């Protein structure tokens, strides 16, 4: 019975990370809903746990609002983002209920497009050649403190924790690369400027997270899980220019990149396939996104707000010290909502999204 409950707890609060969904910059967040938090209820004072998560993303489908724009792919002028992201975490149990965590992401981004270089129009780009920009390096680190509201030993069948995290601006928010241009006389040249916001490694803001996670056994082999966070970024804009150096723009809604809030939530069911073997299966839904307006501070600068709703199947394997988890969130609804600048100008910008994501995590407890 105890072993069964241990397995239930190990998959009861599943690892899940939020990451860039293409052009909507939902950057990697590893907090109480992040990689390495599973099984916290069974950690003892002085115990350590390390984790590593990996996510893979291929974004290429454009949306204006919730309306898919297939003509972009047909014309070959859609933007394509590819991301491979690692997340490294260390957790320490101060008491049976109070835990501290540190997480640091490492991301490799590649973005190809036409419009950022010679332009989408055939006349402006006779060869219709794509060029790539990249950003590789560490992202914004997080320090998290979380607390199980109920005694984990006495409430093994159901519990929930609340957490508070500080996001540090350790990731470069002004990564630059070369962009290709063509003069009116037909000669080519390059300029150096900030890469697109969606592949910047950080946002330059000191952020604050409020977090919630929990689980509840429903039947002998089935439990409910839920988790979520809201990141508040009080900083208005960062120093990364959204404008090429050969243009003069002084509108604060356009000139610099925004340091936006972001959020995510998940809910679903865990099923213990084999308690003896430590195998579990999950099925749930998740939403993650960037709001048009921040909860605290200004909402100026360039941003692509929006959200993604996904169905998330997953599999887990747990032993006494190790947990392995893989999930494939599949997008069911994508919406590039209007930004503050869109409302101001009467426009409605677009954004590219992925069809699905691949997420893998491994944790080891000492």
């Amino acid at each position: 019975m105890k072993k069964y409950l241990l397995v239930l707890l190990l998959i009861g609060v599943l690892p899940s990370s939020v990451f860039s969904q293409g052009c909507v910059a939902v950057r990697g967040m590893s907090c109480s809903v992040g990689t390495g938090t599973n099984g916290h209820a069974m950690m003892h004072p002085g115990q350590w746990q390390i984790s590593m998560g990996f996510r893979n993303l291929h974004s290429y489908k454009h949306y204006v609002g919730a309306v898919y724009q297939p003509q972009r792919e047909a014309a070959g002028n859609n933007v394509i983002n590819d991301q491979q992201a690692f997340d490294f975490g260390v957790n320490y149990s101060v008491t049976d209920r109070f835990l501290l965590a540190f997480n640091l992401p490492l991301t490799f981004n590649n973005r190809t497009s036409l419009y950022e270089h010679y332009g989408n129009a055939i006349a402006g780009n006779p060869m219709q050649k794509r060029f790539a920009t990249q950003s590789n390096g560490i992202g914004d680190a997080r320090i998290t403190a979380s607390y199980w509201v109920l005694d984990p030993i006495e409430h093994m069948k159901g519990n929930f924790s609340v957490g508070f995290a500080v996001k540090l601006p350790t990731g470069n928010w002004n990564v630059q690369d070369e962009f290709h241009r063509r003069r009116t006389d037909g000669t080519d040249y390059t300029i150096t400027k900030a890469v697109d916001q969606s592949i910047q490694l950080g946002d330059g803001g000191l952020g604050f997270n409020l977090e919630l996670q929990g689980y509840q056994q429903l039947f002998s082999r089935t439990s409910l899980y839920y988790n979520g966070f809201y990141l508040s970024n009080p900083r208005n804009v960062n120093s990364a220019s959204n404008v090429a150096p050969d243009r003069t723009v002084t509108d604060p809604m356009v000139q610099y990149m925004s340091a936006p809030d972001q959020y995510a939530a998940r809910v679903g069911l865990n099923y213990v396939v084999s308690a003896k073997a430590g195998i579990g299966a999950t099925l749930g839904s998740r939403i993650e996104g960037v709001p048009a307006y921040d909860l605290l501070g200004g909402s100026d600068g360039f941003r692509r707000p929006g959200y993604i709703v996904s169905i998330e199947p997953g599999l887990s394997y747990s032993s006494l010290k190790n947990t392995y988890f893989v999930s494939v969130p599949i997008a069911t609804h994508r919406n590039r909502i209007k930004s503050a600048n869109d409302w101001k100008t009467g426009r409605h910008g677009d954004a590219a999204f992925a069809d699905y994501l691949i997420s893998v995590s491994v944790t080891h407890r000492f």
Side-chain angles (χ1 to χ4, degrees):
M1 181 64 176
K2 290 184 178 179
K3 184 175 181 180
Y4 164 70
L5 289 175
L6 174 60
V7 173
L8 180 64
L9 287 170
L10 284 171
I11 67 172
V13 185
L14 288 169
S16 171
S17 293
V18 183
F19 35 89
S20 176
Q21 283 275 5
C23 289
V24 175
V26 186
R27 290 182 176 80
M29 292 301 303
S30 294
C31 46
S32 70
V33 295
T35 301
T37 62
N38 53 310
H40 267 176
M42 300 304 296
M43 291 183 72
H44 302 296
Q47 195 169 27
W48 292 85
Q49 180 174 277
I50 60 174
S51 63
M52 185 191 75
F54 172 77
R55 284 91 62 190
N56 184 75
L57 161 76
H58 177 71
S59 163
Y60 68 102
K61 286 187 174 180
H62 283 254
Y63 283 77
V64 176
V67 181
Y68 174 43
Q69 308 292 306
Q71 69 274 14
R72 295 293 299 273
E73 292 165 70
N77 60 24
N78 57 318
V79 176
I80 300 175
N81 279 7
D82 287 287
Q83 179 191 87
Q84 290 78 42
F86 295 88
D87 185 89
F88 302 95
V90 178
N91 300 328
Y92 177 72
S93 180
V94 181
T95 71
D96 287 333
R97 301 168 72 168
F98 180 60
L99 301 107
L100 297 174
F102 175 79
N103 290 88
L104 185 69
L106 176 64
T107 308
F108 301 89
N109 297 297
N110 185 80
R111 176 182 174 90
T112 66
S113 69
L114 300 178
Y115 86 92
E116 294 173 300
H117 301 276
Y118 290 123
N120 284 340
I122 294 178
N125 184 5
M127 294 186 297
Q128 286 287 283
K129 184 178 180 180
R130 284 183 174 272
F131 288 91
T133 52
Q134 288 93 22
S135 63
N136 306 309
I138 65 172
D140 288 347
R142 272 82 60 192
I143 300 174
T144 307
S146 59
Y147 183 79
W148 289 99
V149 176
L150 305 177
D151 187 326
I153 302 300
E154 296 181 2
H155 297 85
M156 297 184 70
K157 294 184 179 182
N159 206 342
F160 67 98
S161 74
V162 293
F164 177 79
V166 177
K167 182 186 72 68
L168 305 174
T170 54
N172 188 351
W173 60 87
N174 196 12
V175 178
Q176 305 211 355
D177 206 342
E178 290 187 342
F179 292 78
H180 297 262
R181 296 286 194 269
R182 177 164 295 165
R183 298 184 179 91
T184 55
D185 63 4
T187 59
D188 296 339
Y189 66 102
T190 61
I191 62 171
T192 300
K193 74 178 192 73
V195 299
D196 188 79
Q197 185 183 50
S198 63
I199 64 169
Q200 289 290 342
L201 299 173
D203 57 33
L206 180 67
F208 305 96
N209 270 15
L210 291 177
E211 309 166 0
L212 173 71
Q213 69 170 353
Y215 61 91
Q216 179 62 54
Q217 182 178 349
L218 301 178
F219 308 105
S220 61
R221 288 178 174 265
T222 306
S223 64
L224 170 76
Y225 70 86
Y226 54 90
N227 48 51
F229 77 84
Y230 188 93
L231 166 67
S232 176
N233 247 336
R235 183 171 183 174
N236 188 16
V237 298
N238 58 42
S239 59
S241 176
N242 188 55
V243 181
D246 53 355
R247 293 181 59 196
T248 301
V249 176
T250 58
D251 185 349
M253 298 296 286
V254 178
Q255 187 175 12
Y256 296 105
M257 293 187 189
S258 177
D261 291 0
Q262 64 186 64
Y263 60 88
R266 300 169 65 243
V267 62
L269 297 175
N270 306 317
Y271 179 75
V272 179
V273 178
S274 172
K276 184 177 181 179
I279 299 174
T282 68
L283 181 63
S285 61
R286 61 191 285 162
I287 181 172
E288 53 214 73
V290 171
Y293 296 91
D294 289 349
L295 186 64
L296 300 174
S299 304
D300 296 336
F302 176 80
R303 75 170 72 183
R304 294 189 190 91
Y307 62 89
I308 307 96
V309 179
S310 304
I311 294 176
E312 184 179 17
L315 288 173
S316 66
Y317 167 73
S318 300
S319 64
L320 287 177
K321 291 187 176 182
N322 300 309
T323 299
Y324 307 88
F325 178 68
V326 58
S327 68
V328 183
I330 302 168
T332 59
H333 182 75
R334 288 154 279 198
N335 194 334
R336 199 294 203 182
I337 63 175
K338 284 189 174 184
S339 66
N341 190 51
D342 287 338
W343 286 109
K344 176 183 175 182
T345 61
R347 298 176 59 254
H348 195 157
D350 70 333
F353 295 87
D355 281 332
Y356 64 92
L357 311 165
I358 299 174
S359 177
V360 180
S361 68
V362 179
T363 65
H364 176 76
R365 183 167 298 170
F366 296 96

